[in-house]
Amino acid sequence: AIAGPRYDFVESVSTAFLLALETLDSRERILLIMCDALGFTVQDAAAALQLTSATTKAAVQSARRKMQRYDCAHAPPTTNVQASVAAVRHEFLSHLQGYNLPALEKTFASDARAVFDSGGEFVAPAGTVFGCETIARLLARFAERCGPLNFSFRMVSCRPAALGHAKARPRWASRFVLAIEVSDGLVARVYAVLATAKLTAIRFDPL
């Protein structure tokens, strides 16, 4: 038997959801996906993985507790949510392209975070960057060094994302993907993927 899933397909492949799954151990992760994304009952998931119902139920409950922070912070990416993100993204990118640091900073939530994934290939901060002022300053510096920036748009992991093109310069990315999460009309998270190996499946429009 299949029960109604807690997370639909669009949400279950979103960047935020996949990052949240990293807080779970391997058993919890697969059981959460089976029960809450694919709709398996606890009994069917237990049988498929040759686990007892008690062990499976405990793992699913543990996984759900760990996912509570994600559940509270993220709305499912419905058509309306995607349209809202696109509107905020447009304002954010307009200020970035215009090198307008004060206006760019105002598009961020005060506790915003940004992750830059360059794979050590390009100039980029290591790890997570915190705070609207710091993130805005880093992005504005990147835009000034690499500009002018041009953007096209795609759905990446079922969310609207900006595909950036910049002037080719040694150690600076000339192609990258920017995806954002929005909370209360402000940018709460930025995911910037610069590593060439992670962009091979993405089709960039010619400049």
Side-chain angles (χ1 to χ4, degrees):
I2 300 293
R6 292 159 59 98
Y7 308 107
D8 65 16
F9 172 77
V10 172
E11 184 169 13
S12 66
V13 296
S14 69
T15 303
F17 183 83
L18 295 175
L19 287 173
L21 287 181
E22 293 182 2
T23 65
L24 312 182
D25 66 35
S26 58
R27 176 180 289 180
E28 291 171 343
R29 191 179 303 122
I30 192 170
L31 285 171
L32 184 90
I33 291 172
M34 291 178 70
C35 295
D36 289 357
L38 299 179
F40 281 79
T41 65
V42 168
Q43 292 75 17
D44 288 341
L49 298 180
Q50 298 183 334
L51 299 171
T52 67
S53 292
T55 297
T56 302
K57 184 177 181 180
V60 171
Q61 289 176 339
S62 175
R64 288 173 177 169
R65 284 194 299 271
K66 293 178 182 179
M67 291 291 285
Q68 282 179 351
R69 183 175 180 181
Y70 165 85
D71 292 335
C72 292
H74 296 86
T78 62
T79 300
N80 288 339
V81 168
Q82 291 181 7
S84 175
V85 170
V88 175
R89 183 196 62 203
H90 176 75
E91 180 183 9
F92 159 72
L93 293 177
S94 295
H95 296 319
L96 181 61
Q97 287 178 299
Y99 313 122
N100 189 338
L101 178 57
L104 180 63
E105 185 177 336
K106 290 179 180 178
T107 65
F108 287 99
S110 59
D111 60 348
R113 300 182 181 188
V115 176
F116 297 82
D117 184 357
S118 71
E121 185 179 2
F122 301 110
V123 174
T128 303
V129 179
F130 299 88
C132 56
E133 183 178 352
T134 301
I135 296 169
R137 193 184 322 115
L138 284 169
L139 288 172
R141 179 172 177 265
F142 174 81
E144 290 171 352
R145 291 290 184 92
C146 297
L149 300 180
N150 296 287
F151 291 100
S152 56
F153 303 97
R154 295 281 185 280
M155 296 298 292
V156 177
S157 294
C158 297
R159 289 181 182 268
L163 279 59
H165 306 254
K167 185 187 302 182
R169 294 183 55 195
R171 294 289 296 159
W172 291 83
S174 60
R175 292 185 174 187
F176 54 92
V177 171
L178 282 177
I180 65 172
E181 290 181 32
V182 174
S183 177
D184 297 326
L186 295 171
V187 178
R189 301 287 186 273
V190 176
Y191 302 101
V193 181
L194 298 85
T196 302
K198 295 188 177 182
L199 301 177
T200 54
I202 297 176
R203 180 174 60 86
F204 286 80
D205 290 340
L207 289 174

